[in-house]
Amino acid sequence: MNRTTAVLLADLQHLIEELGTDGGLITPSIYDTAQVLRYAPLADVAPAVAWLISQQEDDGGWGTPETPRARDLPTLAALLAIQSVGHGSEVERAFAQGISFIQAQGKHWEGPLPEDIPVGIELLLPYMLDEAAACGIIIDQAPYAKLSQLGQRRRALIAQMRLRAGTTPTHSWEALGLPPTTDVIDGSGGIGHSPAATAAWLRATTGREDLAAERAAALQYLHQAARATGSTIPGVVPTVWPI
């Protein structure tokens, strides 16, 4: 074994030994960061709002242009977040460009649903479209009709089961319309290993003094999840943690 190979193997061994430390490291999520900003901001929101705006693409949307059906969700979340907590001309510019983008997204959802739709999108996107409508953002929902129908069927099935911590639907808890019970809290202190779901649960339990301990643990979960991105910006969180 030559020296170069030995060094590479040593580096790889060190990296493998570090995997999972403190819940693991994972890149930031636009959707989850926006939802934390809306529902349970961790500190001064200005830096996280600036981070969100910095993630906007030249076409006005958020998310990777190569996967157009995966862009509605982060774009809607970002728009709702900067609308609710952002201020200034930069926010206004980003919001206007984002509105123009999202109003043209329906074309990607016309016709039969493809097999490769993002996981959980049938639950999350109809919920976010309703949230946008409630905030005065006008979007033609007709192209999303089949996706919404699929989501309704799946929510009906989920409603028939007692949702417990560690089950797959808890990762999309914010979209289920269920009461905020403690049954969905997992060992991390969060909901479904999801910062977005955890932030929504915190918003839903505002003022619940009987859940003070659980709320404190959920807030601590969000702080830990933020640290897992390696960012120093409070409230910038990953899409899943621990991982």
Side-chain angles (χ1 to χ4, degrees):
M1 181 185 303
N2 62 39
R3 174 173 168 72
T4 300
T5 302
V7 170
L8 290 173
L9 285 174
D11 287 346
L12 180 60
Q13 181 178 4
H14 177 72
L15 178 62
I16 291 172
E17 289 172 351
E18 291 292 313
L19 288 176
T21 300
D22 296 326
L25 293 173
I26 186 168
T27 54
S29 160
I30 294 166
Y31 171 76
D32 290 80
T33 296
Q35 295 291 67
V36 169
L37 272 172
R38 292 179 65 209
Y39 293 138
L42 300 184
D44 174 23
V45 299
V49 169
W51 180 85
L52 268 184
I53 291 175
S54 74
Q55 304 303 304
Q56 189 175 28
E57 299 290 338
D58 291 340
D59 59 10
W62 278 263
T64 305
E66 287 74 17
T67 53
R69 292 189 192 94
R71 302 188 71 192
D72 300 69
L73 190 64
T75 298
L76 283 172
L79 285 172
L80 289 170
I82 65 175
Q83 180 191 48
S84 63
V85 301
H87 305 281
S89 58
E90 193 70 11
V91 168
E92 293 174 1
R93 177 201 60 77
F95 186 80
Q97 292 181 354
I99 289 294
S100 296
F101 172 84
I102 197 65
Q103 288 175 338
Q105 273 292 97
K107 62 181 179 292
H108 296 295
W109 295 97
E110 294 172 345
L113 286 178
E115 294 290 332
D116 62 344
I117 61 174
V119 174
I121 199 74
E122 73 282 0
L123 299 172
L124 293 170
L125 185 50
Y127 145 74
M128 289 301 293
L129 287 166
D130 289 343
E131 291 281 288
C135 291
I137 297 176
I138 300 173
I139 301 168
D140 181 10
Q141 298 204 19
Y144 301 93
K146 289 184 173 60
L147 184 71
S148 295
Q149 291 165 7
L150 175 60
Q152 289 170 0
R153 291 196 298 272
R154 292 194 172 167
R155 277 196 299 273
L157 291 172
I158 292 169
Q160 295 175 17
M161 58 186 284
R162 183 178 178 184
L163 204 59
R164 293 186 178 276
T167 55
T168 301
T170 59
H171 188 73
S172 304
W173 183 87
E174 68 270 30
L176 301 180
L178 298 175
T181 67
T182 57
D183 291 344
V184 293
I185 301 173
D186 57 47
S188 70
I191 315 299
H193 285 201
S194 165
T198 303
W201 187 91
L202 276 166
R203 169 61 69 87
T205 57
T206 300
R208 290 282 301 272
E209 294 183 4
D210 58 313
L211 296 177
E214 289 84 356
R215 284 176 51 80
L219 188 60
Q220 178 61 22
Y221 164 86
L222 291 179
H223 282 288
Q224 290 176 309
R227 287 194 291 271
T229 65
S231 169
T232 59
I233 304 172
V236 174
V237 295
T239 193
V240 59
W241 186 87
I243 187 168

